[in-house]
Amino acid sequence: MKKVLQNKSIQQKVDELLSKMTLEQKIGQMTQADRMTCSPEQAKHYHLGSILSSAGSCPDDNSPKGWVEMNDAYWQASSHQDSQHIGIPIIYGLDAIHGNNNVKGATIFPHNIGLGAANDPKLIKHIAEVTSKEVLATGVDWAFAPNLAVARDYHWGRSYESYAEDPNLVTLYAQKMIETLQGKLKQDNILACAKHWVGDGGTQYGVDQGDTILSWEELQATHIQPYKAAIKAGVLSIMVSFSSWNGDKCHAHKFLLVDILKQKMGFDGIVISDMQGIDYLEDDFYLAVAQGVNAGIDMFMVPRNWQLFIDNLLSHIELGTVSISRINDAVRRILSVKYAFGLFDKPRPAKRKWSNHPSFGCDEHRQVARKAVRKSLVLLKNSNSILPLKKHARILVAGKNADNIGHQCGGFTVNWQGVSGNEEIVGGTSIWQGIQKVATRSELSINGDGLEASPELHDLAVVVIGETPYAEGMGDIRGDDKIITEAGSQINGQVKVLRASGDSLELNKLYPEDLQTIKNISNKGVPVIAILVSGRPLIIEQELLASSAFIAAWLPGSEGQGVSDLLFGDYDFTGKLSFSWPTLSQTKVNKGDKHYNPLFPYGFGLSYYLK
């Protein structure tokens, strides 16, 4: 793809537009507000360049129809031309990180950790195609995806957003995802956003928004590598990481943002901040604004305080603490991307080809997600070839995650922290429902605890265990809050601390009911097939020992019947671990480590027919 800042026809249009713009209009383009804090009239008045929906922020009618109507109102307001308004369409963004996951009825794909286990670049292209269509169905142009984190410590609450601990797989997927999402930047495509630049998966102790302490060579080899592929694939936006590198916050890191990303690597799209990302640079937000702009950020995700951001930036320009040339550079990048994407030529959202398209959440899309589930599951244990199961077997299905589509979708689904139950995920299938469809003699445990298990009534049991939903820092595992104090003391700026989801990677300490359910059943002589629903590998020695078979299902998304496709042998297991499995003595384990001794190594995965 021809670089947008070198495209003469685009730059002629940008030059013409820039020459007409007031300072207020330029700063407006650099500002991204949330729909909850900014009406279409305000977006017009302040000349805003972008609106976003943070996770869970949606119109009252959380359907494609409601989204299109909302987007149409913003588009019309921002495109209006008069003596005060130049008429630049806003670009609307959201976190479509495993399908268009904000919207009810969307196809929800497995989270990235499962897709890494699938090790299938063609599948990634199909997922990107479906995601594009389901985002476009809502009138939206921009997805804050893919996440190119290389997660190196499972204590991190965003581990499931990473494809692999190996940067090579992340690099391969980055190219496929971006090439397909953006395509030829026509009506069938959306803008991609590679995130988070850079090193978010390498923080000390796995603390979200923490400090990645690495040499420049190590940062390049592990965390920068995927971004080279993203830029080569033509990605038009990159989001900055909340994390720090050797104590210096990425949001204020001119070396990383300008010297490396923009100049050395040649990225000429939009550098966008993360959610309120500049707030933590300084105690005084006024000073933080100048730091972020001068460090090279072009667009600012400031959903809560966007008006203050505008006022402060105007003041900085007046005082000379931010140069007008830096403003012009940022706005040039934003306008260039909008022109390259054809935003000025597109019809309003209500009139677009894919808006309200009947393919949203359709069976064809769900079949792609179902295939993704099949390819992502990893078989860790299969004693005496108990799997595959017979469809006429008497099966007890138990465990808290057996009939809970919300749990199997994980975080960033309908709401930021995900949901529980089956009501919020319209059109999905739980793992139990998938089993029930093909095994007519299966039975769901009444309370999920398996106490009704009996060898006279049940040949075996499928027990679906594991984590409940979380997102970002609220998924962190921290044994001791001294970790935060230690990490924070090394970072220049503030550290945002969220309540951790637990204090141990041991499944039995996080969710003791899981092992109890397995024992309730196995102690009665009924063999157990355990299925782990989780956003990361957990320490599972006890659960593994008490089960006859064990499957890592990750966070499979809305299509639970993909699990039963494998359980009953309609398909074989092909998933291989893209993360090494930890043990009590080695909770942080990555291939290539000096004393590498995981429970299961990177690339491990059993199958039925290959011994």
Side-chain angles (χ1 to χ4, degrees):
M1 185 184 295
K2 191 175 182 182
K3 292 202 170 284
V4 293
L5 293 181
Q6 294 167 14
N7 185 312
K8 285 184 179 175
S9 65
I10 287 177
Q11 291 314 309
Q12 283 173 353
K13 294 173 185 174
V14 172
D15 286 340
E16 189 180 340
L17 200 51
L18 271 172
S19 69
K20 298 175 185 172
M21 292 174 75
T22 65
L23 182 57
E24 287 77 10
Q25 288 166 345
K26 290 176 181 178
I27 290 175
Q29 286 300 302
M30 295 172 67
T31 308
Q32 184 183 64
D34 190 288
R35 55 162 293 281
M36 292 190 292
T37 63
C38 179
S39 67
E41 292 71 28
Q42 287 175 302
K44 173 185 172 183
H45 179 75
Y46 288 95
H47 321 283
L48 297 195
S50 183
I51 300 291
L52 87 149
S53 279
S54 48
S57 172
C58 60
D60 291 338
D61 177 11
N62 188 12
S63 69
K65 180 175 177 287
W67 280 83
V68 169
E69 288 173 358
M70 175 187 72
N71 271 293
D72 199 58
Y74 281 111
W75 187 92
Q76 287 199 81
S78 63
S79 301
H80 179 77
Q81 294 182 14
D82 57 31
S83 60
Q84 304 297 315
H85 301 92
I86 204 160
I88 301 173
I90 62 122
I91 186 162
Y92 201 106
L94 48 65
D95 278 307
I97 63 171
H98 61 142
N100 195 0
N101 42 262
N102 262 10
V103 187
K104 280 201 174 179
T107 306
I108 307 296
F109 290 96
H111 269 296
N112 288 354
I113 193 169
L115 301 182
N119 196 12
D120 187 339
K122 282 186 181 175
L123 176 66
I124 292 299
K125 287 178 76 75
H126 291 151
I127 290 170
E129 284 166 2
V130 172
T131 301
S132 292
K133 288 177 183 175
E134 297 208 359
V135 169
L136 290 169
T138 60
V140 171
D141 304 296
W142 192 8
F144 303 135
N147 191 324
L148 304 186
V150 181
R152 308 288 285 179
D153 190 327
Y154 309 131
H155 293 89
W156 189 36
R158 304 190 77 153
S159 292
Y160 63 74
E161 294 184 61
S162 176
Y163 295 118
E165 70 190 41
D166 180 355
N168 293 320
L169 183 61
V170 181
T171 299
L172 176 62
Y173 275 17
Q175 178 196 340
K176 299 298 181 188
M177 183 67 81
I178 288 160
E179 283 177 350
T180 312
L181 288 175
Q182 291 192 168
K184 295 180 179 174
L185 298 174
K186 301 294 185 187
Q187 283 201 58
D188 299 346
N189 302 108
I190 58 177
L191 283 184
C193 182
K195 64 183 188 184
H196 304 89
W197 176 262
V198 62
D200 52 340
T203 59
Q204 197 175 23
Y205 308 117
V207 173
D208 189 46
Q209 305 181 16
D211 194 9
T212 297
I213 302 173
L214 290 174
S215 69
W216 168 244
E217 291 72 25
E218 290 170 316
L219 188 75
Q220 271 193 302
T222 301
H223 300 283
I224 287 178
Q225 184 184 326
Y227 287 89
K228 293 177 180 175
I231 292 168
K232 191 176 178 183
V235 72
L236 286 175
S237 64
I238 290 177
M239 189 182 294
V240 187
S241 179
F242 260 116
S243 59
S244 301
W245 175 45
N246 294 337
D248 294 321
K249 284 188 171 286
C250 294
H251 273 75
H253 215 302
K254 191 174 180 182
F255 172 76
L256 288 175
L257 298 179
V258 177
D259 298 0
I260 299 301
L261 184 61
K262 290 183 174 181
Q263 293 178 359
K264 186 177 180 184
M265 295 173 68
F267 175 65
D268 64 352
I270 300 168
V271 173
I272 182 169
S273 77
D274 203 342
M275 176 90 56
Q276 303 292 156
I278 59 168
D279 289 30
Y280 305 96
L281 300 181
E282 293 275 1
D283 293 338
D284 184 341
F285 182 69
Y286 179 81
L287 297 175
V289 169
Q291 268 205 49
V293 178
N294 288 332
I297 299 171
D298 304 311
M299 184 178 280
F300 290 79
M301 192 185 288
V302 277
R304 289 197 294 273
N305 52 2
W306 58 270
Q307 286 171 289
L308 184 61
F309 169 79
I310 290 171
D311 291 343
N312 286 351
L313 187 48
L314 281 167
S315 171
H316 279 296
I317 295 162
E318 197 177 314
L319 292 170
T321 41
V322 172
S323 71
I324 193 67
S325 62
R326 172 73 270 269
I327 300 301
N328 286 337
D329 169 57
V331 179
R332 177 175 295 280
R333 287 169 173 272
I334 293 162
L335 296 177
S336 296
V337 167
K338 287 186 175 186
Y339 274 117
F341 187 49
L343 200 63
F344 289 86
D345 303 319
K346 285 189 176 189
R348 54 191 273 198
K351 300 288 186 185
R352 289 180 189 168
K353 171 184 171 184
W354 289 103
S355 290
N356 292 311
H357 201 272
S359 65
F360 182 86
C362 70
D363 185 62
E364 184 185 343
H365 289 182
R366 293 183 184 279
Q367 289 305 321
V368 176
R370 184 172 178 173
K371 180 180 181 180
V373 176
R374 289 197 296 265
K375 302 215 60 163
S376 65
L377 268 56
V378 181
L379 181 60
L380 298 177
K381 178 181 179 179
N382 190 18
S383 297
N384 301 318
S385 297
I386 191 169
L387 292 174
L389 304 178
K390 302 284 190 292
K391 290 181 182 176
H392 60 263
R394 300 172 302 167
I395 304 168
L396 177 65
V397 180
K400 66 176 183 291
N401 291 337
D403 191 26
N404 198 311
I405 307 173
H407 286 189
Q408 72 194 36
C409 286
F412 288 102
T413 311
V414 181
N415 291 322
W416 175 40
Q417 294 294 324
V419 294
S420 184
N422 296 343
E423 292 70 36
E424 299 282 347
I425 317 291
V426 176
T429 306
S430 71
I431 293 171
W432 152 248
Q433 289 165 348
I435 292 170
Q436 188 185 27
K437 280 181 184 176
V438 293
T440 53
R441 299 176 78 190
S442 57
E443 169 195 348
L444 184 66
S445 173
I446 294 166
N447 294 316
D449 53 21
L451 286 172
E452 60 270 70
S454 163
E456 286 77 39
L457 300 173
H458 307 112
D459 300 317
L460 52 92
V462 174
V463 181
V464 191
I465 57 175
E467 296 184 308
T468 57
Y470 53 79
E472 299 188 37
M474 292 185 78
D476 278 6
I477 300 284
R478 284 197 299 274
D480 189 341
D481 276 340
K482 286 179 185 171
I483 286 169
I484 292 291
T485 310
E486 182 190 327
S489 66
Q490 307 297 317
I491 293 172
N492 298 320
Q494 298 177 346
V495 178
K496 181 183 179 184
V497 182
L498 296 172
R499 176 181 50 82
S501 67
D503 60 4
S504 171
L505 285 173
E506 290 179 71
L507 178 58
N508 190 37
K509 286 189 177 173
L510 286 171
Y511 300 99
E513 69 274 12
D514 288 349
L515 181 59
Q516 188 58 53
T517 299
I518 292 170
K519 287 184 172 177
N520 289 344
I521 298 167
S522 61
N523 286 348
K524 292 181 180 176
V526 177
V528 168
I529 288 91
I531 299 175
L532 178 69
V533 169
S534 72
R536 54 188 146 211
L538 293 164
I539 294 162
I540 53 165
E541 277 97 325
Q542 292 185 69
E543 293 81 4
L544 192 69
L545 190 64
S547 307
S548 298
F550 203 99
I551 298 164
W554 314 112
L555 297 168
S558 60
E559 307 312 302
Q561 66 269 51
V563 177
S564 53
D565 289 341
L566 296 184
L567 282 176
F568 296 95
D570 294 331
Y571 296 83
D572 197 1
F573 282 87
T574 57
K576 308 292 181 189
L577 294 179
S578 61
F579 287 92
S580 308
W581 208 281
T583 63
L584 262 177
S585 59
Q586 222 175 33
T587 58
K588 183 178 184 288
V589 56
N590 296 287
K591 73 170 189 169
D593 288 352
K594 196 171 183 182
H595 302 290
Y596 184 69
N597 187 28
L599 185 64
F600 300 106
Y602 185 98
F604 180 86
L606 303 173
S607 68
Y608 293 145
Y609 308 115
L610 294 173
K611 301 299 180 189

